[in-house]
Amino acid sequence: DYAERRGLSPEVVQRFHLGFDPAWKNPTLKEEQRRRISTSPRLIIPTSPYSYVARDTRQVLTEKQQGYAKLKVGHVHIFNAEALGKRARPIFVTEGEIDALSIESVGGCACALGSTGMVNAFLKEVERHRPKASLIIALDRDVAGCMAKDKLVKGLESLGIIYACENISGEHKDANDALTADREVFATSVQEAEEMAAELTENQPERENLVRDMNQSLR
């Protein structure tokens, strides 16, 4: 099926309650509009008890269909945001939900913005639920992803959150492309990035003491 084709593990499919609708129609449309549009097979990715992402699973899409390939239903939420304040290990921050699921499928811990326009919403989540370990920024390697990364970095620095920017996708556009290209290489990249980020968390008290000493010396 589509989840298997994208490299998502059965354990992750079950844990995150992923579903499949072979004849999905957008429930937010008016009845008249729903009668006019065709159905499409969709992977359903819950983002909260009241919202989800419906991802078109067809391998070949027209340009028009590509514009509706990933649709969100319900109030937009940060995917797996609850991990921020609970997991005492580095957490990857990806752009798309399927990228976060890709990292989870090789043993990492990840949450997803959902889109590059969700940086501010993510920063509010971080402020409410301060991470117990460092964050690893691993957004898409395109122009929009780079711009979102810069904005995210500034926001995390203003909040005093430990973070690292790591390329776990190699020459691929995103985490899922890297996973499907070579699972073993991707898993190694995730593990190495997590180990480096863990060192940042362990060394944080030393850095805070250094900054404190520097500030006192300037007085």
Side-chain angles (χ1 to χ4, degrees):
D1 63 2
Y2 181 79
E4 183 178 1
R5 192 165 80 239
R6 300 312 303 174
L8 306 184
S9 69
E11 184 273 333
V12 162
V13 169
Q14 183 177 13
R15 177 155 55 92
F16 288 96
H17 308 290
L18 305 189
F20 178 71
D21 188 340
W24 184 83
K25 283 190 177 184
N26 193 334
T28 64
L29 297 178
K30 295 180 179 179
E31 187 61 33
E32 182 181 344
Q33 294 173 305
R34 284 171 56 81
R35 283 197 298 267
R36 292 202 307 265
I37 65 171
S38 302
T39 62
S40 58
R42 299 271 172 162
L43 176 71
I44 306 301
I45 307 175
T47 54
S48 79
Y50 314 101
S51 60
Y52 64 88
V53 177
R55 187 183 181 105
D56 199 316
T57 62
R58 290 174 290 186
Q59 289 184 292
V60 179
L61 297 174
T62 65
E63 185 175 348
K64 182 178 180 180
Q65 289 169 341
Q66 288 175 353
Y68 299 95
K70 291 178 285 186
L71 294 176
K72 300 180 185 295
V73 177
H75 183 70
V76 178
H77 287 79
I78 301 297
F79 176 74
N80 200 28
E82 58 272 17
L84 289 171
K86 293 181 180 179
R87 304 296 292 272
R89 61 183 291 192
I91 299 174
F92 290 84
V93 182
T94 68
E95 186 174 326
E97 293 84 2
I98 202 163
D99 295 317
L101 292 166
S102 299
I103 292 169
E104 293 275 351
S105 291
V106 296
C109 180
C111 57
L113 302 180
S115 75
T116 55
M118 290 290 288
V119 171
N120 287 338
F122 178 76
L123 291 172
K124 289 180 181 179
E125 286 288 346
V126 170
E127 196 169 8
R128 282 196 295 265
H129 309 288
R130 294 184 71 86
K132 296 182 178 180
S134 54
L135 299 179
I136 306 172
I137 303 174
L139 304 187
D140 290 6
R141 299 178 64 248
D142 55 15
V143 174
C146 290
M147 292 177 65
K149 181 190 74 173
D150 292 343
K151 185 177 181 180
L152 183 55
V153 163
K154 290 179 181 178
L156 293 176
E157 288 180 347
S158 69
L159 293 173
I161 302 297
I162 315 168
Y163 72 89
C165 296
E166 297 290 341
N167 175 20
I168 58 173
S169 303
E171 296 302 314
H172 303 284
K173 175 180 176 291
D174 56 36
N176 189 248
D177 282 352
L179 172 67
T180 54
D182 193 319
R183 190 182 194 89
E184 186 174 344
V185 169
F186 178 68
T188 299
S189 296
V190 168
Q191 182 179 355
E192 290 176 348
E194 186 171 331
E195 289 172 355
M196 286 189 287
E199 291 181 7
L200 291 176
T201 306
E202 292 171 2
N203 295 331
Q204 177 66 6
E206 296 179 11
R207 291 204 305 274
E208 289 179 345
N209 289 335
L210 178 61
V211 171
R212 190 178 301 112
D213 292 341
M214 290 177 62
N215 289 337
Q216 289 177 350
S217 67
L218 293 173
R219 290 175 182 172

